[in-house]
Amino acid sequence: MTHLFSPLRIRNIELRNRIAMSPMCQYSAKDGFAGDWHLVHYGTRASGGAGLIIVEATAVWPEGRITPGDLGLWSDDQIPGLQRITGFIQSQGSVAGIQLAHAGRKASCALPWDGGKQLSLSNGGWENVAPSAIPFSPGERTPGMADSICIERIISGFREAAERALMAGFRVAEIHSAHGYLLQEFLSPLSNKRTDEYGGSFENRIRLLLEVTEAIRTVWPEDYPLFVRISSTEWTDGGWTPEESVRLAPLLHQAGADLIDCSSGGNIHNAKVPVRPGYQVPFAEMIRNTGIMTAAVGMITEALQAEEIIASGRADLVLFGRELLRNPYFPLQAARELGADTSWPIQYLRAR
């Protein structure tokens, strides 16, 4: 058996292989509700052979959406639409995961195909909150600084969304603390200028993420994995660093996280990111050396590339993003390329 197609057990959940679908926003929800697009989109990737399907960033508040088209889990009414999706994913032998998120100062934007710019309050936009009153880019509205009541509401919002995710049938939850969204904004000394217990020192800046992790663990079953996506570096002088990510990892592990999903960037509008194949894999390797599982993500597009990452012990899981948008059946093709034995949907066996 190849390394990429070996099973991975995290707590009491076993993934049939080390291929996962990275959470990628579809911007196709209405008032936070999942629809037919989501069912077909995620269901196709499950039948395509991925071991884990992580559903896109799902807002814990209406105001936490990046765009009006984001999925949400702030209401029990949103559970049934997601249950359709998890049921189909699991019928295909995949595990259903979900990323829980709050967009912070990067919320209230138009859909990407409508330009993606921040929406004005007179054109369907809403007020944003952030650790400090610093907009993401010049010309955007200054976000409100989250006070103690807002912070408590943030924590409870993540916890309650996790409870709903469990009712919707998800077996893996991921906390979104990357790409310049709210929880990463607290981590970064460039977006967090607070002078209270949530700002200043490393210990203070990581406090909210640890509290959210601990809160979710109070409602997320002991048998089920909890992931955290971080931006391992901001690629900007004075910002969050890989060394801080290494310091953070064991603390997240102690708080109840099982795996760190190692991405980067997104919080500084003019950061220069050296994008190239596998450019974020070194972060997954560094953080894995602290004793926690990691996932590698970003410009990973080939079976042999992913096989090497797992075989060399650089990460435990490989998340595929754009490659799975281009090719929902990439895992089946990768298995053929690597000579691995993997199950196919019975309806497609004639093509094997």
Side-chain angles (χ1 to χ4, degrees):
M1 178 179 290
T2 66
H3 293 84
L4 188 62
F5 284 88
S6 63
L8 176 64
R9 178 169 288 274
I10 310 176
R11 295 192 183 241
N12 281 343
I13 298 298
E14 183 168 279
L15 310 182
R16 61 182 171 182
N17 56 48
R18 308 300 182 99
I19 297 173
M21 181 179 184
S22 188
M24 293 173 285
C25 291
Q26 297 299 293
Y27 307 109
S28 300
K30 181 174 176 56
D31 298 324
F33 286 81
D36 289 346
W37 176 266
H38 302 91
L39 175 64
V40 174
H41 171 67
Y42 292 112
T44 303
R45 276 75 193 173
S47 62
L52 171 65
I53 304 293
I54 306 179
V55 168
E56 67 202 77
T58 301
V60 303
W61 298 355
E63 303 89 346
R65 292 173 293 169
I66 307 165
T67 77
D70 288 22
L71 284 177
L73 256 180
W74 60 80
S75 167
D76 289 352
D77 293 340
Q78 292 160 333
I79 294 172
L82 292 170
Q83 284 176 324
R84 295 176 66 211
I85 295 168
T86 61
F88 187 82
I89 289 171
Q90 287 154 194
S91 77
Q92 301 304 296
S94 295
V95 173
I98 189 168
Q99 185 184 71
L100 302 176
H102 189 301
R105 65 180 183 172
K106 293 179 77 174
S108 186
C109 292
L111 303 177
W113 43 85
D114 290 334
K117 300 295 185 182
Q118 188 178 69
L119 292 167
S120 68
L121 299 180
S122 61
N123 189 34
W126 55 88
E127 296 285 3
N128 298 352
V129 296
S132 300
I134 304 171
F136 172 64
S137 61
E140 293 188 346
R141 285 191 303 282
T142 299
M145 177 178 166
D147 60 18
S148 59
I149 295 173
C150 181
I151 286 174
E152 287 301 315
R153 186 176 168 228
I154 291 165
I155 296 168
S156 63
F158 274 92
R159 183 182 63 247
E160 291 163 10
E163 289 183 289
R164 295 187 183 101
L166 182 63
M167 289 187 280
F170 291 98
R171 298 297 177 262
V172 174
E174 178 171 274
I175 300 167
H176 199 352
S177 183
H179 303 165
Y181 300 125
L182 183 66
L183 295 178
Q184 195 216 341
E185 292 166 16
F186 272 86
L187 297 181
S188 171
L190 297 177
S191 51
N192 183 349
K193 302 295 185 181
R194 302 173 74 97
T195 57
D196 62 3
E197 67 270 31
Y198 290 97
S201 68
F202 170 82
E203 291 76 13
N204 284 354
R205 286 182 282 114
I206 69 172
R207 188 183 306 277
L208 180 57
L209 175 55
L210 293 181
E211 290 178 344
V212 167
T213 303
E214 291 166 351
I216 289 178
R217 259 293 160 217
T218 65
V219 298
W220 198 245
E222 186 69 22
D223 287 347
Y224 290 174
L226 178 60
F227 295 2
V228 180
R229 172 168 275 190
I230 66 170
S231 282
S232 306
T233 181
E234 294 192 285
W235 305 108
T236 304
D237 290 344
W240 180 264
T241 66
E243 292 73 25
E244 286 178 305
S245 294
V246 168
R247 289 178 65 189
L248 173 65
L251 300 174
L252 283 172
H253 202 183
Q254 292 169 21
D258 301 293
L259 180 146
I260 307 295
D261 176 357
C262 302
S263 191
S264 70
N267 192 41
I268 307 304
H269 76 95
N270 58 354
K272 301 294 188 290
V273 182
V275 177
R276 61 186 182 279
Y279 71 107
Q280 296 173 151
V281 175
F283 304 131
E285 184 175 14
M286 290 171 58
I287 292 170
R288 188 174 189 266
N289 287 337
T290 70
I292 191 170
M293 291 183 181
T294 61
V297 64
M299 293 288 287
I300 302 169
T301 61
E302 298 177 0
L304 287 173
Q305 180 189 14
E307 171 71 10
E308 186 279 329
I309 291 168
I310 301 299
S312 62
R314 305 183 77 191
D316 299 277
L317 192 63
V318 178
L319 271 62
F320 288 84
R322 289 173 176 83
E323 188 61 28
L324 279 176
L325 295 184
R326 289 186 285 266
N327 180 4
Y329 302 100
F330 170 81
L332 299 180
Q333 294 180 6
R336 176 180 291 176
E337 181 179 340
L338 296 173
D341 185 24
T342 191
S343 61
W344 281 51
I346 57 174
Q347 296 89 341
Y348 294 172
L349 285 177
R350 74 190 76 175
R352 189 170 184 173

